[in-house]
Amino acid sequence: MVTQPVFDEWKGKSLDGILEVCRDLVESPEYPTVARWRAAGGKVVGHFQVYFPEEIAHAAGALPVKVRGARLEAINAESRFGSYLCSILKTSLELALSGKLELDMFVSHPICDAARNLAAIWGRNFDYSCQILYLPQNPNSKSSAQYLRDEYERLMGDVEAVTGTKVTEDALRHSLEVFNENRRLIRELYALRHAEPWKIPVDEAYTLVALAGMVPREEHNELMRTVLPMLRDRPVRKQDRIRVVFEGGFCEQPPLDLLTTIARSCHVVDDDLLIGLRYLVEDVPVAGDPLRDLAESYLEHSSYSPVQHDLRKPKEKMLLERIRNARGEAVILTAAKMCEPGLEDQVGYSQALDEADIPYFVGEFQETMSGYEQFELQLETFVENILFFA
C-alpha cells in the first residue's frame, strides 16, 4: 500500500498557483504521478474511456488511471492501427509503447467498433493483463443488474491477481465512500459553474476534474476541499457572456487550449467532458452488497453518453435536461474526428435542438490539433449573431 503523496506541489500556493501546477500536470504526457506511485511499489490499473468502476481497483490497493490519450505523435502506435480511426486510440497506445505511461493492467470497453479491439491490440504488445469490461448492451433487461454485478466480480478477480490483494466487502465500502465524496465535490464544482461561471472558466474546471484520473482519490478530495472555497471567494468581476453547454467530449478530449479559446467567448456552464469520472450522479449505497450497489448505480443513477444505449434515457432528452438545469442559452455541439458514435448522435441532437429552438454551434476537434483561429472566429460569429440578432 502506497502511503506517501504523489502530488503535493499545489500545497501552500495561491489559487492561481494551484491551477497552474494542476494544468501543467494534466497537459504532461509523462504522467509523473503514476511514475511516483509505481516507484513506491504501487500497482496501476489503466482504463480506457468512458466509464470504469474505479472503486474496484482502489479497494485492491491499486491506482486507477484514466487513459485518455495525449497531445503527442503516435510514431510507434500508427503501425498497430488502420488509418481512418480516431486519434485517442493511437495516442493512448503510444503513451504505453513509449514508456511514458507504465501500467500493471489495462481495461477497455467495446464502446465502438474501433475500441472493441483495443484490449487485444494492447495485449499483443504487453505481457501484463489486458481485459475487456462488458457493460450491459441492454440495460433495460431485468437481468442486467445481476449480469453487471457478476461482470464486476470477474473483473475484481483479475485485479486481485495483479495486485496480490484480496478485496473484502469492507474495503469496497471504504472505496465507495471515498469516491462518493469525490463525486460530490465535483458536483459542487459544477454547481458553482451553473451559478457563477465567471469564477471558474471551462479550461480550469476541466483541469481540476481531469486530475481525478491521475492521482489517488484521497489526494484529489483534499485538493478539491481546498480549492472550492477559494473559487467561491475568487475576487473576479461578473462578466456578461452567453451561457453555453459543451457536448461531445465523452471520449476523446479536446485540447486544453481549445477550451481556453472557447472560454474567451462564452461561459461554458455544463459539459460532458470526462463524463466517466462523474457518470454516477448519486452516492452509491454502502450498506448492502457493494458490487450489486455499484451495478445498480450504473444502471439506475447515471448520466448519459453516446456509448450507452438505454431506452429510459433518450440522449436528446437528457441533453435538453442538461441545458435547462444549467440555464444554458446555446450549445457547442462537437465531435472528435473519426468518432462514429459522436458524429452519429450529432444528427439527433441537432434535430432536438431545432425543435426546442435552442441555437447551437457545430464543430469538430482532434486532441492533437494546434490551430484554433478558424474555430474561434466561427464561434465568435455565432455568439455575436445570438447577442445582436436573436
Side-chain angles (χ1 to χ4, degrees):
M1 177 70 71
V2 178
T3 57
Q4 63 263 42
V6 300
F7 180 55
D8 57 7
E9 293 90 334
W10 62 272
K11 294 183 178 179
K13 293 184 179 294
S14 66
L15 177 59
D16 289 341
I18 293 173
L19 293 171
E20 181 180 354
V21 297
C22 289
R23 180 165 182 146
D24 288 344
L25 176 57
V26 169
E27 289 193 301
S28 172
E30 304 293 335
Y31 283 81
T33 53
V34 179
R36 292 170 194 166
W37 179 272
R38 296 191 86 247
K43 300 293 185 180
V44 178
V45 176
H47 56 93
F48 192 66
Q49 304 275 38
V50 173
Y51 171 75
F52 175 78
E54 295 174 293
E55 292 91 337
I56 294 174
H58 181 272
L63 175 65
V65 173
K66 178 167 277 296
V67 180
R68 51 181 172 80
R71 289 176 56 77
L72 78 172
E73 188 176 355
I75 298 174
N76 301 295
E78 280 283 358
S79 62
R80 273 77 169 181
F81 295 97
S83 300
Y84 300 103
L85 295 175
C86 58
S87 175
I88 186 175
L89 295 174
K90 301 174 183 179
T91 60
S92 293
L93 182 60
E94 183 67 27
L95 285 169
L97 290 172
S98 63
K100 298 180 185 300
L101 177 61
E102 294 188 32
L103 306 175
D104 298 286
M105 179 177 178
F106 176 70
V107 183
S108 71
H109 324 273
I111 58 175
C112 65
D113 286 342
R116 62 193 279 185
N117 298 312
L118 189 57
I121 295 172
W122 212 285
R124 290 180 179 180
N125 291 276
F126 301 98
D127 58 6
Y128 50 72
S129 177
C130 299
Q131 298 291 331
I132 299 175
L133 172 63
Y134 292 98
L135 298 169
Q137 290 298 303
N138 180 15
N140 305 128
S141 167
K142 64 180 181 180
S143 304
S144 59
Q146 184 61 43
Y147 161 80
L148 185 55
R149 187 244 178 253
D150 294 343
E151 180 68 359
Y152 285 171
E153 187 172 39
R154 179 192 66 80
L155 175 70
M156 187 170 69
D158 294 324
V159 174
E160 290 173 335
V162 169
T163 63
T165 299
K166 182 68 176 178
V167 176
T168 65
E169 287 197 353
D170 285 342
L172 267 175
R173 292 190 182 101
H174 170 69
S175 296
L176 290 176
E177 291 173 347
V178 171
F179 281 76
N180 280 343
E181 180 185 8
N182 189 251
R183 286 184 286 264
R184 284 196 298 269
L185 290 166
I186 293 177
R187 288 198 295 270
E188 288 183 32
L189 177 68
Y190 272 74
L192 179 61
R193 292 176 63 190
H194 291 179
E196 300 176 286
W198 52 90
K199 290 188 175 181
I200 179 68
V202 60
D203 54 321
E204 294 178 355
Y206 178 89
T207 296
L208 291 173
V209 174
L211 278 173
M214 305 174 68
V215 301
R217 275 310 199 284
E218 292 87 346
E219 291 191 41
H220 192 251
N221 287 348
E222 182 184 5
L223 171 68
M224 293 294 287
R225 286 194 298 266
T226 302
V227 169
L228 280 169
M230 299 171 77
L231 288 171
R232 294 188 185 101
D233 296 335
R234 199 176 198 179
V236 293
R237 184 176 299 176
K238 180 179 179 179
Q239 298 167 316
D240 188 17
R241 292 180 179 173
I242 188 172
R243 300 169 60 95
V244 305
V245 169
F246 183 100
E247 187 78 16
F250 64 95
C251 185
E252 184 170 326
Q253 300 299 291
L256 260 174
D257 286 342
L258 178 60
L259 297 181
T260 303
T261 299
I262 294 172
R264 287 199 290 263
S265 298
C266 44
H267 292 312
V268 179
V269 292
D270 210 333
D271 57 64
D272 67 340
L273 297 164
L274 293 173
I275 190 67
L277 292 174
R278 50 195 176 88
Y279 205 68
L280 307 186
V281 297
E282 297 180 9
D283 284 358
V284 181
V286 295
D289 174 359
L291 292 179
R292 178 79 183 203
D293 290 338
L294 256 181
E296 291 188 349
S297 291
Y298 173 80
L299 295 169
E300 305 296 339
H301 306 292
S302 60
S303 185
Y304 68 99
S305 83
V307 299
Q308 187 192 43
H309 308 288
D310 190 332
L311 297 177
R312 300 167 300 175
K313 297 192 299 184
K315 285 166 279 190
E316 296 82 2
K317 179 182 177 182
M318 298 291 282
L319 172 58
L320 294 176
E321 194 173 296
R322 172 175 284 162
I323 298 167
R324 284 193 296 270
N325 290 341
R327 303 193 307 281
E329 300 170 276
V331 178
I332 298 177
L333 193 57
T334 65
K337 289 185 177 181
M338 307 293 180
C339 176
E340 289 187 11
L343 291 168
E344 181 179 309
D345 274 2
Q346 273 193 347
V347 178
Y349 288 150
S350 298
Q351 183 177 355
L353 293 170
D354 283 334
E355 293 174 354
D357 198 25
I358 298 174
Y360 58 94
F361 171 85
V362 178
E364 189 178 58
F365 68 85
Q366 190 171 27
E367 61 184 359
T368 55
M369 66 188 291
S370 57
Y372 313 106
E373 295 82 5
Q374 184 177 2
F375 190 102
E376 183 172 26
L377 178 60
Q378 292 173 343
L379 180 59
E380 287 176 348
T381 302
F382 169 75
V383 170
E384 289 173 1
N385 280 335
I386 294 175
L387 291 175
F388 301 116
F389 302 107

